[in-house]
Amino acid sequence: MSMSMSIVSATPPPPPPPPPATAKSPSVVPPAPTTASAAQPRRLASLIDSSTSLDHLLQIHAALLRRGLHHHPILSFKLQRSYSSRGRLRSSVALFNCSSEPTVYQWTALIQDHAHLGLHQQALLYFVQMMGDGIEPNAFTFSSVLKSCPLESGKALHCLAVKLGFCSDPYVRTGLVDVYARGGEIVSARRLFDSMPEKSLVSLTAMITCYAKHGELKEARVVFDEILERDVVCWNVMIDGYAQHGKPDEALVLFRQMLSAGVRPNEVTVLSVLSACGQLGALEVGRWIHSHIQNNGIQMNAHVGTALVDMYSKCGSLEDALLVFESMNHKDVVAWNSMILGYAIHGSSQCALGTFNTMCRSGVNPNDITFIAILTACSHTGLIKEGWDFFNSMKDKYGIQPKIEHYGCMVNLLSRAGNLEEAYQLVKEMEIEPDAVIWGTLLGACRLHAKTALAEKIAEFLVGKDLANCGTYTLLSNIYAASGDWEGVAKVRTLMKSSGVVKEKGCSSIEVNNRVHEFLAGDKRHPKSREIYSMLDEINGWLKAYNYRAQTEMVLHDLGEAQKEQSLEVHSERLAIAFGLISTEAGSTIRIVKNLRVCSDCHEVTKLVSLMMGRKIVMRDRNRFHHFVNGSCSCGDYW
Ligand code: ZN
Ligand code: ZN
């Protein structure tokens, strides 16, 4: 889940300081009306400052009107600020409009209040009006209006600030760093940032945001580490940067550091951390965050609820996902989508379909993401008729144009069910150019249904159009390997090398005692490597007793049978399962997350392990969840 955070508005600089009521007024402030004694405005000013409620403020306002002091520049400025700080922007604007000659302080307050509420266009408009009225802005006016500036107008203001000599002001400079950072001009932002003699927390945070949103995490981290006193916004930016750019483990490490530094997480923090937990399958940490939300008064709104549903279902606990979902008072389409997708990836297609119907009945309209979720559900259990119905109703009933992802789901559904010709036909007739994922799906089905001729035709097409990716080559290589055509395998490998495609390595992870342990195929880096491998030996002994025969056609390389068997034995998911068996309590559930699709040999072995060891094993692979219990899998061997 991506969140946009306006850093500067989260920590606004202090309001422009009005001249004290007692001091001699600067030239921009007209002299106080002579009808009142000097003591009266002073007393009223301190009354406004100490007013405790809106009623109180209204009484003071009435008193001002009675005494003819409502045009007093300092008093009307203070009143204007007090109204807006109580959320009464309208009253504040009305008061401003009554001023015959508003001061730069009043203009600045008006601009700042609008910028703070995200009313950026209005803020910019007031700035332009102010300049048109011949009022010269001060540094606070600049720093306020910069928050509302897109890059181009920000650049124009930069020039103006140079001309008027405000560029050395730290607030103005921070505002400019933020403008360039938001606009994606990292180099300019960095140059301004480096030239600041003293860096404020706001400018540091703006700089980290600039890097972390562009995925330049190393640079972001260098700036982050420079900050001695980090506030929650600063931690959030760095944690979210890691979570959104494929470093969920780093996000969790940093989150722990944030807690030990005594900084209290807020809603933004938990959204990032829950996303990281979901990516890693870190159920225990996810549960801890859930209880932290409950115990620390973080509001359980639609965003947080949805993030929890998403985390629980991705971590393999559909039961918890459902509990949270049912407890949500307000469910928007995003919340419904995450529940439907949760059912879909766990293979509970009927529940997904049922939830879809309940959603429609409750008056929430599906969007394009809903259809991705529901078509995924259909494809995981081969519901061809339902799939076509949903696909057609999308356009006809809901007016949603199918995107490449929807076609992808349909091709997946048809080709996995063996309707390869129908799938091929759909691809050829698509209104959008099919992408490598769709071709890869077809290719995968060709392997499953041993359609070598069609596979070769597709592969040739892909290589010719430069659409082939690592998955394409692997699948083609698989097809050749399965039919024992080692020359074909070698040909693909040469093609892969010459096209510079790097094969993604299989990697499985498991969470034990709140730590995520990762394994690559044949990995021996883990401190408990010896115990893990002796557990694997033990498993292999039992497998023999169960008359298990390894599916060596899964091995790509041209090896002898004994060697092939050995390379299957050390697939990453088996190492993770073996580690799970030796380091968790007997009878407890083992949860594995794998980055690629689980191979059919490991799938078979995992079924047997669940039977032999009396363990439930939940495995999330690239496509879906597999729940292995008592020797069988929830996918019904259809994945
Ligand atoms: Zn495997
Ligand atoms: Zn399965």
Side-chain angles (χ1 to χ4, degrees):
M1 191 171 305
S2 172
M3 284 157 294
S4 66
M5 282 169 282
S6 176
I7 295 315
V8 177
S9 69
T11 48
T22 46
K24 207 177 156 214
S25 302
S27 59
V28 279
V29 181
T34 45
T35 48
S37 73
Q40 214 174 23
R42 218 169 21 230
R43 200 173 58 82
L44 285 164
S46 75
L47 269 179
I48 297 174
D49 284 342
S50 59
S51 71
T52 49
S53 65
L54 188 64
D55 274 350
H56 193 192
L57 200 63
L58 288 167
Q59 281 170 21
I60 302 169
H61 194 170
L64 247 68
L65 286 165
R66 274 199 304 276
R67 289 172 173 78
L69 280 170
H70 53 291
H71 288 308
H72 190 286
I74 295 158
L75 294 177
S76 63
F77 167 80
K78 280 188 180 281
L79 210 52
Q80 194 187 323
R81 293 254 58 169
S82 297
Y83 275 126
S84 55
S85 72
R86 289 188 164 80
R88 306 287 292 235
L89 187 62
R90 267 200 186 165
S91 310
S92 168
V93 174
L95 202 65
F96 175 87
N97 289 335
C98 287
S99 310
S100 47
E101 283 180 60
T103 63
V104 66
Y105 303 109
Q106 279 170 287
W107 279 104
T108 303
L110 195 70
I111 293 166
Q112 192 179 48
D113 292 339
H114 282 81
H116 190 54
L117 290 174
L119 303 167
H120 299 304
Q121 251 183 331
Q122 200 58 39
L124 267 171
L125 213 64
Y126 281 126
F127 182 78
V128 174
Q129 272 182 29
M130 182 186 103
M131 297 295 288
D133 281 6
I135 306 283
E136 195 165 293
N138 62 25
F140 285 110
T141 325
F142 269 106
S143 80
S144 301
V145 74
L146 280 171
K147 274 178 237 164
S148 294
C149 280
L151 185 61
E152 287 315 310
S153 17
K155 282 181 180 172
L157 275 178
H158 190 175
C159 296
L160 187 63
V162 172
K163 198 175 146 200
L164 297 177
F166 287 121
C167 249
S168 56
D169 181 276
Y171 284 114
V172 175
R173 202 161 271 224
T174 300
L176 287 168
V177 169
D178 185 53
V179 164
Y180 285 101
R182 272 190 284 116
E185 294 208 353
I186 304 187
V187 179
S188 307
R190 181 77 210 204
R191 201 175 300 148
L192 271 163
F193 175 77
D194 285 338
S195 66
M196 291 172 78
E198 266 186 53
K199 294 167 178 70
S200 67
L201 183 58
V202 178
S203 66
L204 284 158
T205 311
M207 209 54 232
I208 299 172
T209 315
C210 180
Y211 283 128
K213 294 297 179 215
H214 294 88
E216 299 189 17
L217 297 171
K218 271 192 191 147
E219 288 81 357
R221 187 57 190 261
V222 170
V223 181
F224 178 83
D225 287 338
E226 273 178 34
I227 306 175
L228 298 176
E229 296 208 7
R230 303 171 187 130
D231 65 358
V232 65
V233 180
C234 183
W235 285 96
N236 285 351
V237 174
M238 199 62 231
I239 292 173
D240 194 57
Y242 282 131
Q244 301 310 324
H245 290 93
K247 301 235 177 251
D249 39 354
E250 301 270 346
L252 291 191
V253 169
L254 205 62
F255 175 63
R256 285 196 189 93
Q257 288 176 17
M258 170 181 172
L259 293 178
S260 25
V263 179
R264 282 167 67 94
N266 62 14
E267 181 189 325
V268 179
T269 329
V270 302
L271 291 177
S272 304
V273 176
L274 286 173
S275 154
C277 290
Q279 293 172 53
L280 284 168
L283 182 61
E284 292 316 313
V285 182
R287 270 195 220 287
W288 186 88
I289 311 267
H290 189 180
S291 63
H292 181 89
I293 292 168
Q294 289 167 327
N295 299 332
N296 287 272
I298 294 177
Q299 205 202 348
M300 185 61 122
N301 56 24
H303 295 299
V304 176
T306 305
L308 280 167
V309 170
D310 190 62
M311 180 277 291
Y312 276 126
S313 65
K314 283 187 179 150
C315 288
S317 182
L318 204 51
E319 304 82 5
D320 287 301
L322 188 60
L323 275 178
V324 175
F325 182 71
E326 285 185 336
S327 74
M328 287 170 70
N329 293 326
H330 172 73
K331 300 182 184 89
D332 58 7
V333 67
V334 186
W336 286 98
N337 287 352
S338 65
M339 194 63 232
I340 296 172
L341 190 64
Y343 280 128
I345 58 176
H346 284 270
S348 305
S349 303
Q350 290 308 330
C351 293
L353 266 57
T355 309
F356 178 88
N357 290 333
T358 317
M359 171 182 119
C360 295
R361 273 202 305 276
S362 73
V364 175
N365 270 334
N367 63 13
D368 58 331
I369 310 283
T370 321
F371 283 99
I372 294 177
I374 201 76
L375 290 173
T376 304
C378 293
S379 79
H380 281 167
T381 35
L383 302 174
I384 294 183
K385 189 195 163 297
E386 289 83 349
W388 273 122
D389 287 349
F390 281 118
F391 187 73
N392 293 328
S393 78
M394 215 179 131
K395 209 157 116 183
D396 303 341
K397 191 172 168 189
Y398 297 99
I400 301 169
Q401 205 60 33
K403 291 185 183 161
I404 194 96
E405 293 88 347
H406 302 101
Y407 280 106
C409 290
M410 280 312 286
V411 171
N412 194 12
L413 165 61
L414 294 170
S415 50
R416 275 179 6 173
N419 298 10
L420 269 165
E421 289 306 324
E422 204 181 352
Y424 190 45
Q425 200 57 34
L426 180 66
V427 174
K428 284 200 294 193
E429 288 168 8
M430 271 171 64
E431 288 162 30
I432 318 165
E433 181 86 10
D435 62 2
V437 179
I438 289 192
W439 288 115
T441 308
L442 260 181
L443 215 48
C446 288
R447 187 189 71 75
L448 210 63
H449 301 280
K451 304 253 183 186
T452 316
L454 182 58
E456 279 182 332
K457 203 161 103 189
I458 295 170
E460 232 168 73
F461 172 85
L462 289 179
V463 174
K465 283 218 156 193
D466 205 18
L467 282 172
N469 63 10
C470 152
T472 321
Y473 290 112
T474 309
L475 279 166
L476 191 61
S477 175
N478 270 327
I479 293 166
Y480 286 128
S483 61
D485 180 355
W486 301 115
E487 239 173 74
V489 173
K491 203 170 72 191
V492 175
R493 217 175 292 157
T494 318
L495 258 177
M496 241 176 130
K497 256 192 202 149
S498 64
S499 66
V501 173
V502 185
K503 190 172 181 288
E504 193 177 350
K505 277 191 181 144
C507 173
S508 297
S509 59
I510 177 171
E511 186 193 33
V512 172
N513 293 332
N514 289 329
R515 296 265 172 232
V516 177
H517 302 254
E518 274 189 350
F519 297 92
L520 299 173
D523 212 331
K524 292 199 168 152
R525 294 169 306 166
H526 197 276
K528 290 207 168 160
S529 203
R530 260 191 34 205
E531 290 96 318
I532 292 169
Y533 278 87
S534 71
M535 185 71 216
L536 273 182
D537 282 344
E538 213 173 300
I539 293 173
N540 292 333
W542 291 326
L543 288 174
K544 288 219 169 68
Y546 274 85
N547 283 330
Y548 174 76
R549 200 190 71 80
Q551 299 171 27
T552 45
E553 69 271 18
M554 290 310 305
V555 183
L556 297 183
H557 313 286
D558 187 8
L559 306 168
E561 286 300 309
Q563 279 171 297
K564 279 187 198 171
E565 211 167 290
Q566 221 171 31
S567 85
L568 286 170
E569 282 167 9
V570 292
H571 272 184
S572 63
E573 54 270 56
R574 297 203 205 179
L575 297 175
I577 291 173
F579 177 63
L581 286 170
I582 59 169
S583 42
T584 56
E585 243 171 80
S588 65
T589 301
I590 292 176
R591 292 168 202 278
I592 310 285
V593 174
K594 188 175 183 197
N595 63 338
L596 306 175
R597 183 179 171 278
V598 55
C599 83
S600 57
D601 191 64
C602 287
H603 193 266
E604 217 43 45
V605 167
T606 311
K607 287 200 299 197
L608 288 171
V609 171
S610 76
L611 179 69
M612 294 181 307
M613 305 296 288
R615 294 278 199 127
K616 182 176 175 182
I617 301 172
V618 180
M619 189 186 293
R620 181 177 99 193
D621 73 4
R622 174 169 272 179
N623 296 331
R624 60 166 295 153
F625 271 96
H626 302 263
H627 296 250
F628 299 91
V629 187
N630 277 332
S632 57
C633 179
S634 61
C635 74
D637 299 336
Y638 185 90
W639 83 99

